[in-house]
Each structure stands twice: as structure tokens, then as C-alpha cells.
Amino acid sequence: MIKISQLRKSYNGRCVLNIEDFVFEPGGKYALIGANGSGKSTLLKILAGTLAADSGSIDCPSGLRERLGYMPQKPYIYDFSVLKNILIAFTHSQSDSAAALRALRRVGMEDFAAARGSRLSGGESQRVAFARMLVEPHPLLLLDEPTSAMDLNASDQVEQELLDYCSEQTTTLIFATHSLAQAQRVADTLLLMDHGLLAEYGSAAELIHHPQTQEARDFLRNWKVD
Ligand SMILES: Nc1ncnc2c1ncn2[C@@H]1O[C@H](COP(=O)(O)OP(=O)(O)O)[C@@H](O)[C@H]1O
Ligand SMILES: [Mg+2]
């Protein structure tokens, strides 16, 4: 499990993250939802280790954070071939072109293997960044709006691959999304962030249909929930 306690981050004296405590259970799937600026990316960056919290702690099994997979909101694609962009991900096993091509196929990007990274669209870049994560097992995946620039077909395909990956590897998944439908399909627990605070969490059924806090009710009012 991953236990966060009293995690705080401020910029120029303004607190953007302040979470008292939360436990992510192994193999759980967690969706971070909330308005722009509510602290979703900040939390993911701190969990990924690309940003230091001002205070607080993250307790997790040793070695877990060295093997996590992180996909930032704007994933980085190097300006060499798409295939090479995948091959650089083999850090724990030998680099394998056939496996890299299989990963590209799983996101519908195999025809782009020879294309230059800098020529990709936003959605294509996200698909390549996602394929890059598929090639190795990760006990923890941190994905920041992983399908935000994808068309519906690509998004559906990536969601399915993500669910398959998580069940094959028993991966813990924490992802930010602006799609409540996606949060409902993929996650078993939703965490609603509001001005840096964890306002409320629970299953989709609990949080969406029986919100307990004013923050959750206000947030949901702006969404059309099926
Ligand atoms: N490097 C930074 N300097 C100053 N403010 C920042 C910086 N990074 C993020 N912020 C602010 O922190 C808040 C939380 O940002 P973020 O975690 O990216 O929100 P979300 O991902 O929920 O949209 C926002 O108001 C954002 O403007
Ligand atoms: Mg964000």
C-alpha cells in the first residue's frame, strides 16, 4: 500500500496541495477528479518523485517508486523515431524491437514506428507515451489525463489496454481525468480534489450519486452524469 500523510505544497505562499492522509491499496484503481487547478497534477508529480512536497510523507514498499510508470499531462516524445521512443523504455530488461512494435500495435500506432517523434499530434504523442509504459511491468502507474487529447476510438482502445495491463500485472493505478464516464469505467475509487484538498472519496456510485460534501455537490452540478 501507499500511505500519504500530511502532504503539503505551496507556490509563492499559496497552498495548492494539502492532504491529511490517504491509503492507496495494492491493485486498487483510483481516479483523481476535480476542477482545473485543484491539485491533481501536483499530487501525481509528488507521487512520481518529479516534484518535492514541502512537508509530509509517502510510505510505500521499498523499490516501488523506482519501478513506477508515470505519464505526465504533456508526455515527452523525443525527436527520433517512434520505435526508438519505445525502445528507450526498456530499463529493466533487454531492449526488444518486436515487443516495442507489439506495444505500438496495442495503441494503434504501429504504422508510425518510423515516424519522427516531433511530427506527432497531441493524441498520437499520448498513445506513444502510453505504449512506452506498456513494455515493462510497473507495480504503480501514475497517469495524468492520459487520454485527454485522444479521439474516442483511441481513448477506448487505450482504456481497454490499461485495464488489461492492470489486471495482468496487479498494478496500482492512480490517474487524473476530466471524464467522469472514464473514471466510472476504469476506477474503483474516485478522489475529488478541491483547492488542493481531498474533498471526498468513494466508489463512483457513492461519490456521484450520493455526494456527502458541498464541494462534491457543486462539482457534480457542472457535469452531466448518466
Ligand atoms: N510551478 C508552479 N508555480 C506556481 N504555481 C503553480 C505551479 N505549478 C502549479 N501551480 C498552481 O498550482 C495549482 C494546482 O495545479 P495542478 O496540480 O496542476 O492542478 P490540476 O492538475 O488539478 O489542474 C494551480 O493553481 C496551478 O496554477
Ligand atoms: Mg493537471
Side-chain angles (χ1 to χ4, degrees), residues 8-215:
R8 302 213 164 90
K9 179 75 190 174
S10 295
Y11 287 112
N12 311 316
R14 184 169 70 96
C15 179
V16 299
L17 191 73
N18 183 1
I19 298 183
E20 211 43 51
D21 48 50
F22 190 78
V23 172
F24 297 97
E25 299 291 348
K29 298 192 208 58
Y30 300 86
L32 303 176
I33 58 172
N36 291 142
S38 57
K40 304 178 299 294
S41 294
T42 302
L43 175 58
L44 288 170
K45 286 177 197 167
I46 291 172
L47 289 169
T50 64
L51 180 72
D54 295 338
S55 58
S57 62
I58 302 171
D59 297 319
C60 57
S62 70
L64 180 91
R65 296 182 81 202
E66 287 73 38
R67 294 185 65 99
L68 62 79
Y70 171 50
M71 193 170 145
Q73 200 161 344
K74 277 208 185 114
Y76 199 80
I77 302 295
Y78 296 92
D79 192 20
F80 35 63
S81 76
V82 164
L83 183 66
K84 194 163 176 208
N85 268 278
I86 307 293
L87 290 172
I88 55 167
F90 289 92
T91 50
H92 297 283
S93 55
Q94 209 166 15
S95 131
D96 177 347
S97 293
L101 282 169
R102 273 199 303 279
L104 283 173
R105 194 169 312 127
R106 289 172 73 174
V107 299
M109 288 294 290
E110 71 274 31
D111 292 345
F112 289 77
R116 293 230 350 220
S118 59
R119 309 261 164 94
L120 300 180
S121 74
E124 288 163 354
S125 299
Q126 283 187 328
R127 286 152 77 184
V128 170
F130 186 80
R132 189 156 64 194
M133 261 178 0
L134 291 178
V135 296
E136 293 224 316
H138 298 287
L140 172 63
L141 284 189
L142 303 168
L143 313 182
D144 201 344
E145 300 188 30
T147 63
S148 59
M150 292 184 202
D151 62 51
L152 284 179
N153 281 340
S155 175
D156 283 351
Q157 189 176 5
V158 162
E159 251 182 44
Q160 196 49 56
E161 291 297 338
L162 177 59
L163 288 170
D164 290 351
Y165 180 95
C166 288
S167 57
E168 282 159 22
Q169 326 265 353
T170 8
T171 294
T172 306
L173 169 67
I174 308 172
F175 70 106
T177 183
H178 281 294
S179 163
L180 269 190
Q182 179 174 68
Q184 279 180 281
R185 283 192 298 270
V186 176
D188 36 53
T189 305
L190 275 52
L191 288 80
L192 174 67
M193 303 290 298
D194 182 78
H195 294 94
L197 301 171
L198 175 53
E200 185 168 336
Y201 64 89
S203 67
E206 287 166 348
L207 199 135
I208 294 174
H209 300 295
H210 303 284
Q212 301 294 311
T213 58
Q214 193 56 44
E215 288 83 356

